[in-house]
Amino acid sequence: RISSADAILNQSGRILSNAQLTLSAASLNNDSGSIGAAQEASQGGSDASLNITGHLSNQAGHISASRQLTIAGTTSLNNTQ
């Protein structure tokens, strides 16, 4: 679980989990970054949940889950590849 009352900057970075991933922030910049929950399907897979109350920028970024991906609360999204 990652939580911030402010922005999370993950430009060209990696936030990865082998289990469930929950990320909450006022805004998220994941430009050219990776965010994911990647437990193998044979082990039940894993979910990723992002609760971003402001802007989510994912230009050339990658956000994934091996099971279910939920993105909630965002007021604007830039997902340009």
Side-chain angles (χ1 to χ4, degrees):
R1 180 170 181 92
I2 299 170
S3 182
S4 173
D6 296 314
I8 292 178
L9 302 176
N10 191 48
Q11 292 173 305
S12 300
R14 293 182 184 179
I15 299 174
L16 303 172
S17 173
N18 284 331
Q20 181 172 335
L21 172 66
T22 303
L23 189 148
S24 301
S27 64
L28 173 63
N29 184 329
N30 190 52
D31 294 350
S32 299
S34 295
I35 296 175
Q39 185 179 48
E40 293 183 24
S42 64
Q43 297 177 353
S46 54
D47 299 336
S49 177
L50 279 64
N51 185 9
I52 310 302
T53 57
H55 181 70
L56 170 55
S57 183
N58 190 47
Q59 288 184 316
H62 185 80
I63 300 174
S64 65
S66 62
R67 208 167 62 160
Q68 182 174 347
L69 171 64
T70 304
I71 300 174
T74 188
T75 58
S76 63
L77 170 66
N78 183 348
N79 196 38
T80 306
Q81 297 300 311

